[in-house]
Amino acid sequence: MTKLLETGVAAHWILPATGHVVPNAEIVVRDGLIAELKPMAAPPEGGGTTIVLPGLVNAHTHLDLSTLRIPVTAKKPVDWLHRVVQARTQDQPGDAAQRIHAGVLELLDFGVTLVGDISSGGLTSELFPTLPMWGVVFHEILGLSDARGNHFWQQMIKRLHEYPATDNWQWGISPHAPYSTHRQLIEAAARLDIGPVCIHLAEFSCEKSLLEENSGELARFLQEINLWHPANLAPHWEWIRWKLRRASQAIYVHANYLPRTPAFHHNEAVIYCPRTHQAFGHPKYPLSELLQAQVKVALGTDSHASTPNLDPLAEACLVRQQFPDIPPEMILQMITRWGAEMLGFAHCTGSLEVGKSADLVMIQAPTRLKTVDEVYHFLFSGAAIGLPRTTMWRGKWRRRE
């Protein structure tokens, strides 16, 4: 008979991300899975407060931009885009791979056990099979000209065959953005049906004039970098949403300037990057309206090109600060369960439930927290930022280095 590997994780407070909080309880882990969540007769020993929550989900980042620090000029996105393009053109062989490696280590240190990565050239696929986390590698496709678009598409198809997904990650597709991707590539991405489709949509207000009138800052930007092909642009945002309804899951990153209460299809979801949104000085995010319309919203960090680090908890803290009326248990789901659902991993992670992978983060508060409100305040006020996080993935611990 095979011996089962079993361990127990005791905590003063367990936050399963299922709508309730469990005080003074233990998670029984057996062969990498959550076997039981049971109450304890007495609180765990020791000072302070032990808090356990699901492994965090960073639903959107660009690992190949990790370590790139590009100043964001509020309300001047085109200046920032120029700097990003310039940084990429200066890459030497191996630079992107080194940045991906650095970004992965940072995610692990912050307790991320599931990531959605926009991957230029699909490079992250080489690294993922050996990583102690789940993930979706969104192969990025670009190109407004017919020739450039076809080149990126063929490159992607080749990559998909060379690096088949393994049990801890899957492929997705990312037609980068309306201003950088041929309209036919957006349609083709939805039809290919290899996984979720993720696009940066309505990120900048000047996208609207580009698509509908072929004018404005982004039009001048494309002309300046010799990538101006107006006939190949999508006609408007709603056309893109309509085409992506063929995808199993359509994910819109940012969505800063979509109508405040658009009617969302069942396969559509949104990823909000609060600190990036703040850095660019966009108007207040329509988060409350989206949630009231029952739109699923997860949080992401974008990249080092627009935010200080890759910590989803830091994003959640800003949400709590800017939207105090949103219940904290809902904010927790934005960095756990909802991200897992839209990335296609809710069957195995994103919440602490029996039968799921034992993916969790343990944080030690220095003082005793006596109520649920105190626990959430500690997590989302910023008090937990910078404290060591002990992370388990598939039943194995990893300590922050």
Side-chain angles (χ1 to χ4, degrees):
M1 180 181 293
T2 303
K3 184 178 180 180
L4 297 177
L5 299 177
E6 183 172 302
T7 188
V9 180
H12 296 94
W13 296 96
I14 295 177
L15 284 62
T18 56
H20 65 287
V21 175
V22 184
N24 301 324
E26 180 183 33
I27 298 173
V28 178
V29 177
R30 189 174 298 133
D31 279 1
L33 301 177
I34 297 173
E36 190 178 356
L37 200 163
K38 61 182 184 181
M40 299 176 66
E45 296 180 358
T49 303
T50 302
I51 304 167
V52 169
L53 52 150
L56 302 183
V57 178
N58 188 332
H60 173 74
T61 191
H62 298 254
L63 290 174
D64 60 359
L65 293 178
S66 298
T67 74
L68 284 181
R69 307 292 179 178
I70 301 175
V72 173
T73 304
K75 300 183 181 179
K76 292 186 178 180
V78 170
D79 292 346
W80 178 79
L81 287 171
H82 270 296
R83 293 188 179 101
V84 173
V85 171
Q86 183 179 20
R88 283 193 178 277
T89 59
Q90 293 174 347
D91 266 358
Q92 300 298 312
D95 285 356
Q98 290 179 9
R99 291 197 296 267
I100 291 170
H101 183 72
V104 164
L105 292 179
E106 185 176 335
L107 289 175
L108 293 172
D109 283 345
F110 284 129
V112 172
T113 57
L114 170 60
V115 65
D117 176 43
I118 307 297
S119 183
S120 178
L123 286 177
T124 316
S125 59
E126 298 179 26
L127 186 63
F128 230 108
T130 64
L131 296 182
M133 66 167 60
W134 312 100
V136 178
V137 178
F138 290 97
H139 197 299
E140 188 178 59
I141 48 176
L142 303 126
L144 275 177
S145 70
D146 294 344
R148 186 172 168 83
N150 183 64
H151 167 76
F152 275 96
W153 185 263
Q154 295 304 322
Q155 181 190 57
M156 180 191 69
I157 296 299
K158 183 172 182 290
R159 191 79 176 182
L160 297 182
H161 285 96
E162 288 179 344
Y163 294 92
T166 60
D167 68 338
N168 71 313
W169 72 279
Q170 70 172 47
W171 281 111
I173 305 178
S174 177
H176 172 256
Y179 59 82
S180 61
T181 310
H182 198 301
R183 57 190 291 168
Q184 291 182 1
L185 293 179
I186 296 172
E187 291 186 87
R191 290 197 302 268
L192 191 58
D193 195 29
I194 65 162
V197 178
C198 180
I199 185 170
H200 300 76
L201 186 68
E203 181 176 4
F204 305 119
S205 60
C206 49
E207 268 185 38
K208 185 176 177 65
S209 59
L210 171 72
L211 301 184
E212 297 180 5
E213 303 167 11
N214 293 166
S215 64
E217 293 178 74
L218 277 172
R220 291 190 292 274
F221 166 72
L222 292 171
Q223 291 165 6
E224 289 168 4
I225 61 175
N226 297 316
L227 294 177
W228 180 236
H229 299 277
N232 296 337
L233 290 166
H236 45 74
W237 290 326
E238 289 306 308
W239 182 92
I240 295 170
R241 294 182 60 206
W242 172 55
K243 291 297 181 182
L244 291 187
R245 285 178 183 170
R246 298 189 61 166
S248 59
Q249 176 73 70
I251 302 173
Y252 309 136
V253 181
H254 303 306
N256 299 322
Y257 293 94
L258 283 181
R260 304 293 284 189
T261 54
F264 269 70
H265 195 254
H266 69 85
N267 78 323
E268 296 178 296
V270 171
I271 297 176
Y272 170 37
C273 301
R275 290 182 295 170
T276 295
H277 183 275
Q278 183 183 59
F280 278 105
H282 297 302
K284 187 174 182 178
Y285 196 75
L287 182 58
S288 298
E289 292 89 340
L290 290 170
L291 295 176
Q292 287 169 8
Q294 299 186 328
V295 178
K296 200 146 287 177
V297 181
L299 302 185
T301 61
D302 217 331
S303 74
H304 282 175
S306 63
T307 201
N309 56 45
L310 307 182
D311 184 8
L313 184 57
E315 303 290 346
C317 289
L318 184 56
V319 170
R320 185 61 176 163
Q321 175 188 327
Q322 294 186 338
F323 299 92
D325 293 337
I326 294 177
E329 56 269 24
M330 190 173 286
I331 297 175
L332 176 64
Q333 292 188 89
M334 293 180 199
I335 56 172
T336 54
R337 188 178 181 179
W338 290 351
E341 289 178 1
M342 69 178 66
L343 293 176
F345 278 84
H347 63 286
C348 63
T349 194
S351 58
L352 301 177
E353 298 179 83
V354 172
K356 288 193 175 184
S357 177
D359 307 334
L360 55 89
V361 177
M362 179 184 289
I363 302 176
Q364 189 75 21
T367 59
R368 185 55 57 91
L369 305 176
K370 299 179 181 180
T371 67
V372 174
D373 288 344
E374 288 180 353
V375 172
Y376 277 126
H377 179 75
F378 168 77
L379 288 174
F380 297 141
S381 67
I385 300 297
L387 292 179
R389 302 175 199 177
T390 309
T391 309
M392 176 181 283
W393 181 71
R394 285 180 139 178
K396 295 182 179 180
W397 289 108
R398 178 188 189 275
R399 294 189 179 275
R400 185 172 182 178
E401 299 173 358

